[in-house]
């Protein structure tokens, strides 16, 4: 974690350092900071092709009673299967 933070201090716009810091933070259980850093993946050249131009806003976990949530595959079937467990949580927050 210290190395990634140092790399970011030297080069604040370096997406790989932010992304990798995000993975470390998520692994350590700091979900808020981890997901914020993980969002830098969209600035990485090899991830730009996977970025979908959605016309609707992203969902950040707020109450969404009566709204529809689109869940889509981003980085492969393994991640998709892992994240399927959150469908129930989204439904409990009112997403249809």
């Amino acid at each position: 974690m210290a190395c990634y933070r140092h790399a970011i201090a030297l080069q604040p716009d370096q997406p790989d350092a932010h992304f990798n810091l995000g993975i470390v933070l998520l692994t350590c259980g700091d979900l808020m900071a981890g997901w914020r850093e993980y969002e830098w993946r969209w600035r990485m050249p090899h991830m730009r092709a996977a970025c979908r131009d959605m016309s609707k806003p992203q969902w950040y976990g707020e109450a969404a009673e009566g709204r529809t949530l689109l869940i889509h595959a981003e980085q492969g079937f393994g991640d998709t299967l892992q994240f399927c467990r959150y469908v129930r949580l989204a439904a409990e927050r009112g997403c249809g």
Side-chain angles (χ1 to χ4, degrees), residues 62-68 91-96:
E62 68 276 5
E65 191 68 39
R67 295 172 63 195
T68 301
E92 289 172 357
R93 290 186 179 224
C95 295

Side-chain angles (χ1 to χ4, degrees), residues 1-17:
M1 188 178 321
C3 291
Y4 293 127
R5 290 191 189 280
H6 181 68
I8 292 167
L10 294 174
Q11 197 173 4
D13 291 332
Q14 214 301 324
D16 290 51

Side-chain angles (χ1 to χ4, degrees), residues 14-67:
Q14 214 301 324
D16 290 51
H18 283 279
F19 171 76
N20 288 317
L21 175 60
I23 291 173
V24 172
L25 291 166
L26 289 169
T27 301
C28 291
D30 188 348
L31 301 182
M32 293 287 283
W35 286 118
R36 186 173 51 248
E37 294 295 327
Y38 193 76
E39 284 296 307
W40 280 77
R41 71 193 179 282
W42 299 121
R43 300 182 192 191
M44 299 167 67
H46 69 279
M47 284 297 295
R48 287 189 188 129
C51 185
R52 295 182 180 175
D53 185 23
M54 303 289 185
S55 62
K56 303 293 182 189
Q58 288 187 351
W59 180 59
Y60 292 99
E62 68 276 5
E65 191 68 39
R67 295 172 63 195

